[in-house]
Amino acid sequence: IHVSDLSRAHIAALDYLLKGGESTLVNLGNGSGYSVNEVVEAARSVTGKEIKAVVAPRREGDPTSLIADAGKARELLNWAPNHPKIDEIIESAWNWLRGNPDGYK
């Protein structure tokens, strides 16, 4: 998920707790998953860079897919992602990196 969606979820969780809600576990996600290949292709498209990737067989024990069910976050925290698309998430990170090539100082 996008870092701003993550921060909004943390703020919503704090508000929930401050209003007397019980401590609980909550998954965050956009409701659909992205394959590694989709993420790599989106990163190539957004950055215009060649990104090397090694295609290999699935490792033993790797699940075929993992998708977070954010239903509890919607219900308890009134939270949903504002930036669910992978290209938007990567573009935001790419823009930050280009503006901050040395990271945080």
Side-chain angles (χ1 to χ4, degrees):
I1 65 172
H2 193 282
V3 67
S4 67
D5 288 332
L6 179 61
S7 65
R8 283 189 319 96
H10 278 84
I11 292 167
L14 287 171
D15 186 54
Y16 169 79
L17 292 171
L18 289 170
K19 290 179 178 174
E22 285 191 35
S23 183
T24 187
L25 300 175
V26 177
N27 286 323
L28 302 176
N30 63 12
S32 62
Y34 295 102
S35 71
V36 172
N37 288 335
E38 288 172 318
V39 173
V40 171
E41 284 304 318
R44 288 174 177 154
S45 175
V46 167
T47 65
K49 303 287 184 182
E50 178 183 336
I51 298 172
K52 294 180 183 179
V54 175
V55 177
R58 184 183 318 274
R59 297 171 299 187
E60 186 177 336
D62 280 351
T64 56
S65 68
L66 292 172
I67 300 173
D69 178 0
K72 193 172 180 181
R74 280 189 294 281
E75 179 184 322
L76 292 180
L77 309 177
N78 194 31
W79 178 91
N82 288 337
H83 309 281
K85 297 180 180 176
I86 193 64
D87 57 336
E88 185 179 354
I89 295 168
I90 292 171
E91 182 176 18
S92 177
W94 179 241
N95 288 337
W96 185 89
L97 181 62
R98 288 188 305 168
N100 301 277
D102 297 323
Y104 292 107
K105 289 189 177 200

